């Protein structure tokens, strides 16, 4: 914990103040020291790929407001930038340009395909190597854990990015409650598998259900949240309602949507994109401008809404917070 400003001491929901500036600017400007070369190129299958033809537009269809059935009050949005001063992307940007292969591979069509998706009632099974396994109703999670605002950059492996004001709670709060055993090393996450409700899952060329994983210390890091809303509103289906992971220093695909299962395990779990194309998508997938994707550069990115490109930051700008998690690791090999 490097910042005194940030603390995760439970507070009553009425006391919540949004925390967009929870870290000092200087901490974020710290540059990761690791010397990193470039990764060997490989010829691999096209899966998660940039599609320059699909641009979000400001005329994107307005998203109907989602109403929350129960749960603690959401913190009111007060931030207008991230901690580096970058303006937030608009609600329309965030809800009209999505990767969500369970519905469609077209980013601009997800909102439509997901519009009828029922996200209530919903349960999340938390188990594996824990003292207190439990199946939570999402309402329990909303009531039990303090919902906070977190303004994070989301950097897709396809080299576009957004600034998103999430609402969510720290995954660590949940993990502490279920008490991982000493043998626990990783956390595995799973998206709903239902080919009726998620028609994209009828495409047998993908290893459904979508799964993801984190090392336990990454999962316990205070920046790692379970997202339950954005812009002070409940999470829309296209963004992973009712509950999704948000890990801001990793490529966007690690932030798995629409979770039904969280399992604490001993072995590094298989993950969706790594299973499809291991040389392109590693288990760690930390944002790293020095390790190119075999098919494109990761040095720069297009911020949705901007015309030009900007430099990609090591660990997506969160190096001051997370680089110690990877001390001694070779980030080229362990991509
Ligand atoms: N279950 C599931 N989770 C997913 C995806 C997906 O296709 N299915 N896409 C990932 C990718 S590639 C990105 S960039 C982010 C996009 O999140 P957003 O649409 O809320 O911006 O979700 C990630 N989580
Ligand atoms: Mo992505």
């Amino acid at each position: 914990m490097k910042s005194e400003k940030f603390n995760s001491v439970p507070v009553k929901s009425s006391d919540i103040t949004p925390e967009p500036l929870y870290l000092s600017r200087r901490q974020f400007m710290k540059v990761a020291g690791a010397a990193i070369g470039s990764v060997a190129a490989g010829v691999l299958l096209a899966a998660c790929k940039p599609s320059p033809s699909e641009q979000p537009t400001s005329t994107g269809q307005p998203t109907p407001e989602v109403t929350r059935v129960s749960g603690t009050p959401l913190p009111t949005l007060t931030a207008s930038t991230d901690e580096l001063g970058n303006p937030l992307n608009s609600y329309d940007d965030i809800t009209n340009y999505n990767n969500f292969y369970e519905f469609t591979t077209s980013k601009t069509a997800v909102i439509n395909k997901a519009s009828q998706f029922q996200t209530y009632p919903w349960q999340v099974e938390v188990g594996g190597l824990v003292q207190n396994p439990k199946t939570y109703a999402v309402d329990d999670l909303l009531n039990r854990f303090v919902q906070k605002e977190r303004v994070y950059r989301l950097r897709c492996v396809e080299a576009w990015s957004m600034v998103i004001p999430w609402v969510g709670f720290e995954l660590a709060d949940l993990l502490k409650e279920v008490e991982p055993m000493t043998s626990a090393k990783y956390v595995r996450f799973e998206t709903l598998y239902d080919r009726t409700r998620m028609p994209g899952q009828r495409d047998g060329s993908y290893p459904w259900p979508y799964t993801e994983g984190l090392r336990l210390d990454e999962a316990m890091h205070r920046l790692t949240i379970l997202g339950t809303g954005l812009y002070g509103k409940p999470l829309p289906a296209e963004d992973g309602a009712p509950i999704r992971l948000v890990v801001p220093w990793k490529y966007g695909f690690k932030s798995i949507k629409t979770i039904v299962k969280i399992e604490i395990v001993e072995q590094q779990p298989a993950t969706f994109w790594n299973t499809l194309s291991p040389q392109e998508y590693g288990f760690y997938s930390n944002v790293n401008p020095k390790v190119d994707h075999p098919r494109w550069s990761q040095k720069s990115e297009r911020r949705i809404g901007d015309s030009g490109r900007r430099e990609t930051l090591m660990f997506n700008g969160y190096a001051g917070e997370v680089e110690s998690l990877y001390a001694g690791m070779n980030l080229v090999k362990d991509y």
Side-chain angles (χ1 to χ4, degrees):
M1 298 284 176
K2 293 187 175 180
S3 169
E4 292 301 323
K5 270 194 212 165
F6 186 101
N7 71 73
S8 51
V9 176
V11 290
K12 294 198 299 279
S13 54
S14 56
D15 296 338
I16 297 169
T17 44
E19 302 172 88
L21 304 171
Y22 54 88
L23 296 173
S24 71
R25 193 180 159 78
R26 191 199 301 186
Q27 284 178 304
F28 278 88
M29 302 310 278
K30 271 180 67 178
V31 178
I36 299 153
S38 59
V39 76
V43 182
L44 297 147
L45 74 114
C48 194
K49 61 179 184 299
S51 37
S53 55
E54 285 189 327
Q55 303 289 337
T57 59
S58 50
T59 56
Q61 77 183 85
T63 312
E65 268 196 33
V66 186
T67 43
R68 166 160 284 158
V69 182
S70 73
T72 52
L74 294 173
T76 326
L77 175 74
T78 56
S80 56
T81 68
D82 67 6
E83 82 291 353
L84 301 178
N86 301 299
L88 305 181
N89 279 93
S90 69
Y91 190 77
D92 277 1
D93 283 347
I94 298 166
T95 56
N96 283 274
Y97 192 74
N98 301 98
N99 271 328
F100 205 164
Y101 279 40
E102 283 84 344
F103 291 103
T104 168
T105 56
S106 162
K107 295 185 216 326
T108 51
V110 173
I111 184 169
N112 242 299
K113 302 272 186 200
S115 64
Q116 300 304 312
F117 184 70
Q118 293 298 314
T119 60
Y120 186 90
W122 195 272
Q123 292 188 328
V124 181
E125 184 188 337
V126 186
L129 302 172
V130 296
Q131 304 292 347
N132 312 309
K134 183 170 172 183
T135 296
Y136 292 85
V138 165
D139 292 349
D140 289 347
L141 298 172
L142 293 169
N143 285 318
R144 218 170 174 93
F145 302 111
V146 178
Q147 310 293 309
K148 306 170 176 188
E149 181 180 274
R150 289 289 177 85
V151 177
Y152 286 158
R153 293 171 290 288
L154 178 128
R155 206 303 196 163
C156 178
V157 74
E158 301 163 328
W160 55 267
S161 62
M162 295 198 202
V163 180
I164 303 181
W166 299 107
V167 173
F169 61 96
E170 292 178 23
L171 176 59
D173 292 349
L174 173 61
L175 293 176
K176 283 175 202 156
E177 188 169 281
V178 297
E179 292 183 60
M181 297 172 180
T182 49
S183 55
K185 298 279 183 316
Y186 295 89
V187 183
R188 177 182 179 277
F189 305 84
E190 194 175 306
T191 297
L192 175 72
Y193 181 62
D194 184 333
R195 304 204 302 168
T196 313
R197 298 165 67 193
M198 295 182 139
Q201 292 175 337
R202 293 174 201 156
D203 183 340
S205 52
Y206 294 98
W208 309 111
Y210 199 105
T211 55
E212 257 308 334
L214 295 172
R215 222 169 51 193
L216 187 58
D217 59 341
E218 298 176 317
M220 292 293 290
H221 193 281
R222 62 182 176 174
L223 292 186
T224 303
I225 60 168
L226 287 170
T228 57
L230 58 85
Y231 263 101
K233 301 173 192 183
L235 201 59
E238 58 273 23
D239 289 288
I243 188 163
R244 60 93 56 85
L245 185 68
V246 186
V247 194
W249 71 94
K250 293 178 178 281
Y251 290 119
F253 66 83
K254 296 292 291 183
S255 292
I256 180 175
K257 295 176 172 180
T258 315
I259 295 169
V260 291
K261 191 171 179 185
I262 299 175
E263 203 181 349
I264 289 68
V265 296
E266 187 163 5
Q267 305 294 325
Q268 181 176 301
T271 63
F272 184 85
W273 287 106
N274 182 252
T275 300
L276 265 171
S277 189
Q279 294 169 76
E280 294 184 297
Y281 310 108
F283 176 78
Y284 284 95
S285 287
N286 294 310
V287 174
N288 188 340
K290 295 181 181 165
V291 176
D292 287 338
H293 187 282
R295 290 179 284 136
W296 59 84
S297 168
Q298 294 293 24
K299 286 186 184 55
S300 70
E301 66 200 56
R302 181 173 58 90
R303 177 67 43 85
I304 300 304
D306 282 4
S307 44
R309 296 182 75 83
R310 61 176 63 215
E311 277 183 23
T312 288
L313 303 174
M314 186 65 202
F315 295 115
N316 203 22
Y318 302 95
E321 277 293 305
V322 301
E323 64 185 333
S324 60
L325 293 172
Y326 310 101
M329 276 177 61
N330 178 339
L331 299 179
V332 175
K333 194 173 138 276
D334 289 316
Y335 59 97

